[in-house]
Amino acid sequence: MAEAIISLEGVTKDYGAPPRQVHALRSVDLEVAEAEFVVLLGPSGSGKTTLLNVLGGIEAPTSGTVTVAGRRVEALEEEDRSEFRRNSVGFVFQFFNLVPTLTAGENVQLIAELRPTLGDAADRTHTVLAGLGLEDLTERYPMQLSGGQQQRVAVARALVNQARVLLCDEPTGALDLETGRSILDLLQRAQRETGTTVVMVTHNSAIAKMADRVLNMRSGEIVGDRRVESPVSAAEVSW
C-alpha cells in the first residue's frame, strides 16, 4: 500500500456548549494512501462535510491531529493554513462557487496566480481548460454556462495548481446523470493519470462503485471501511 497522504488520529469536532452541544466528529482515526479514490457515504448530519472541512483546513478540530500532505493542519496558524490550502488541496463543491463577474478563464487564472512558481498562470489556465474540453468557453461568464460546464470550470480551478489532494463535496448533487458522469470522469482521470488523491462526499451509493475505498459515516463516526475489488469507470456509474 502506498504511503499515507492523509492521517487523522482521535479527531473530534464539537459545536456549541452543553447541554445543546453537537458532536459532529467523534474520535475519528483514518489513513488514506496517496492516489487513492475514497468515497465518504452517509446520511445528512453524519459528519461527512465536517470531516472534509477539517481535512482542508477550513475548520479546526476540537481535538486530535490532522496530517495532510506532510502538514499538521490543526497546528497551523491562519496564514500558514491559507498557504496549505493554496498549495496542497483543491476543492470541488456542489454549487460551483465561481466568481460571477469573472469569465471561466479568469476564474481559473485567479487561482493559478496564487502559485507563480509553477509557471505562467495564463499558460497553465489554457492547458487545464483545454484538457477538460473548455477552451471554447473561456470568455463566457458563469451565467452563460450550463450547470455541468460551471462544474467543469470548478474542477479546472481545483486542478490548475497541481493539488495533491482533491476534496469534493457532493460534486454531482446538482447535475443530471450524464453531466454527473462527465464530472466523475474528470475526477477519476485526475486520480489515475496524475496520482491525485480524491476524497469525495456523497449520499449516492452508486458512486461508491468507482472508488478504491468506501467509508460509511454515521453520527460523526466511521462505521464502515471497505475496499472495492474492481472499481468501475465513471461511464458505468448509474443512479
Side-chain angles (χ1 to χ4, degrees):
M1 184 175 177
E3 183 179 350
I5 192 170
I6 293 171
S7 179
L8 280 70
E9 296 183 10
V11 171
T12 68
K13 180 62 180 178
D14 301 328
Y15 297 103
R20 298 182 178 179
Q21 191 171 52
V22 175
H23 304 291
L25 297 176
R26 303 169 183 261
S27 299
V28 174
D29 296 320
L30 174 65
E31 286 198 348
V32 175
E34 190 152 21
E36 266 196 306
F37 196 123
V38 176
V39 162
L40 283 171
L41 282 177
S44 297
S46 61
K48 306 184 304 298
T49 295
T50 300
L51 180 56
L52 213 65
N53 289 343
V54 167
L55 289 176
I58 295 175
E59 296 188 70
T62 302
S63 62
T65 62
V66 180
T67 305
V68 179
R71 305 292 298 276
R72 278 280 302 278
V73 181
E74 89 289 346
L76 296 175
E77 299 293 336
E78 185 54 42
E79 182 177 343
D80 293 329
R81 195 174 300 163
S82 296
E83 180 268 333
F84 159 76
R85 288 192 296 263
R86 183 169 63 244
N87 296 341
S88 299
V89 297
F91 297 91
V92 183
F93 302 100
Q94 180 176 350
F95 294 110
F96 323 136
N97 292 337
L98 301 179
V99 180
T101 56
L102 300 181
T103 65
E106 289 168 342
N107 263 280
V108 178
Q109 186 166 330
L110 180 69
I111 302 303
E113 289 172 349
L114 297 176
R115 292 198 71 187
T117 57
L118 295 179
D120 183 76
D123 288 344
R124 288 189 288 122
T125 295
H126 173 77
T127 297
V128 72
L129 287 172
L132 299 182
L134 295 169
E135 62 268 41
D136 295 333
L137 304 178
T138 57
E139 298 303 317
R140 295 191 189 181
Y141 290 90
M143 66 178 296
Q144 298 172 312
L145 302 174
S146 69
Q149 289 169 337
Q150 289 187 66
Q151 192 61 299
R152 286 161 69 192
V153 173
V155 172
R157 192 176 53 182
L159 293 174
V160 72
N161 281 347
Q162 302 174 18
R164 294 178 64 189
V165 177
L166 284 185
L167 302 175
C168 309
D169 194 357
E170 298 279 8
T172 63
L175 305 175
D176 61 71
L177 174 59
E178 289 307 314
T179 306
R181 279 176 173 164
S182 71
I183 298 303
L184 294 175
D185 179 65
L186 296 179
L187 298 174
Q188 194 171 56
R189 281 169 47 198
Q191 180 235 355
R192 293 180 174 180
E193 295 174 10
T194 67
T196 305
T197 303
V198 179
V199 181
M200 181 189 298
V201 161
T202 183
H203 66 276
N204 189 338
S205 59
I207 293 175
K209 297 176 182 178
M210 63 177 284
D212 298 313
R213 188 172 165 204
V214 180
L215 304 175
N216 291 90
M217 292 194 70
R218 186 171 63 242
S219 301
E221 298 179 297
I222 295 175
V223 296
D225 184 348
R226 66 179 177 86
R227 296 207 163 272
V228 178
E229 293 298 324
S230 301
V232 303
S233 69
E236 297 173 84
V237 174
S238 183
W239 62 83

